[in-house]
Amino acid sequence: DAAPYPQNPAALDWASLYPTRDASNGSNIAFLDVGCGFGGLAVALSTLAPTKLTLALEIRPKVAEFVRRRIESLRRQHAGSY
């Protein structure tokens, strides 16, 4: 269920993570949230700095899946955001 682990950053489909942004290679990420838990900081950063990209990392697959679904839901509710 969780995102696959890529061999390197170039092997990751960045566009699937950032569908409304130019994130083709991940080089324009402004914030890194390591151990993001349930995504509170990542979601807050996206509203405080909407033009910047945030990469949230979580080691627990079930929690990472929850955050992915949370962000997808927020994107559906607020088109063009998150």
Side-chain angles (χ1 to χ4, degrees):
D1 289 317
Y5 296 102
Q7 292 279 336
N8 58 60
L12 185 64
D13 179 14
W14 292 95
S16 69
L17 298 174
Y18 301 104
T20 62
R21 306 279 197 262
D22 177 21
S24 56
N25 65 5
S27 63
N28 54 359
I29 293 171
F31 303 108
L32 175 62
D33 182 5
V34 177
C36 71
F38 292 95
L41 178 60
V43 169
L45 286 170
S46 67
T47 58
L48 293 172
T51 62
K52 306 290 185 187
L53 295 181
T54 300
L55 177 60
L57 303 176
E58 175 55 54
I59 195 169
R60 297 168 291 176
K62 295 285 186 187
V63 177
E65 179 67 9
F66 171 85
V67 175
R68 184 186 66 77
R69 289 180 181 194
R70 177 182 182 190
I71 291 171
E72 286 177 353
S73 176
L74 288 168
R75 286 176 177 163
R76 282 191 302 274
Q77 294 172 25
H78 307 281
S81 299
Y82 300 96

